[in-house]
Amino acid sequence: MVKTAKAIAVFDIDGVVRDVSGSYRRAIADTVEQFSDRAYRPSSADIDALKSEGIWNNDWEASRELVYRYFETQGKPRSQLNLDYDRLVAFFQSRYRGPDPNTMTGYICQEPLLMQPAYLENLTRAGIPWGFFSGAMRAEAAYVLEGGLGIREPVVVAMEDAPGKPDPTGLLATVALLETRNGCPPEIPVVYIGDTVADLYTVEKAKQQQPSRTWIGVGVLPPHVGETPARRDAYSNTLKQAGAAVVLGNVQELTPALIQELITP
């Protein structure tokens, strides 16, 4: 329990807590290549462009959409494609988790951490309870939170627990869990930290549902956009246009002092 909580911090996981440029995004590219008959492999920029639309947080659905759009450029409407979504999901998972769905041996094993346990401990000491809301499956979130960061019984709402972003249901549920666990004062400010347009749209929708509460969206640049200054700046501008109060190069730049500054009227 965090005594005298000042604000609540909720983190997205992919691109914020762990670098997924060589895992989820690689699995997207593999899947699109496989289901486009090996004719098209989307680049990292192609995937970013799709996700900038704000509705493709689910990587299985994003993969399917990229396949559809490829064939549409070839004059084949999606209504005429016999694309087996379950088979697509199974292929994606075989790359991301590995051939055995119960044993993590795939790309998930190659994800560098972007956050260290000491950072979260510092938030706790500063009176900022924290938790996670992610579109990742529960087992995949546990792999990094419990296995990678060593968090015991993390507060996390995952894919199986709530509708996908930008629906704010999962964010609201995470906040409610943190309030209960930490005995928070009513309607203390909430900061949600994410790396995509969908994350920030989620904050905007939460504001609509609970307008009396202060909601702050913080953008974090995922590692893969750091390849060139121009790409980094363009991605940062996209997050700001989607509602980010500030855009950071790494999640650990969101210090207790900065959180205090963001929530102070």
Side-chain angles (χ1 to χ4, degrees), residues 167-191:
D167 188 305
T169 302
L171 177 57
L172 297 172
T174 309
V175 170
L177 289 169
L178 288 166
E179 288 176 324
T180 299
R181 178 176 289 193
N182 294 280
C184 298
E187 296 191 336
I188 65 169
V190 174
V191 180

Side-chain angles (χ1 to χ4, degrees), residues 54-57 133-135 157 161-174 192 197-209:
I55 57 173
W56 304 108
N57 192 66
F133 168 45
S134 172
V157 172
D161 306 317
K165 305 169 197 175
D167 188 305
T169 302
L171 177 57
L172 297 172
T174 309
Y192 184 50
V197 169
D199 293 325
L200 297 163
Y201 283 176
T202 301
V203 177
E204 296 303 311
K205 290 181 178 295
K207 287 180 184 178
Q208 295 170 14
Q209 292 202 19

Side-chain angles (χ1 to χ4, degrees), residues 107-120:
Y107 298 158
I108 192 173
C109 300
Q110 305 166 25
E111 296 174 331
L113 289 175
L114 302 173
M115 170 191 289
Q116 298 302 318
Y119 169 73
L120 296 172

Side-chain angles (χ1 to χ4, degrees), residues 3 11 19 42 59 68 85 183 220 222 234 241-242:
K3 295 181 179 179
F11 299 92
D19 180 358
D59 287 341
Y68 279 148
Y85 184 63
V220 173
Q241 290 169 8

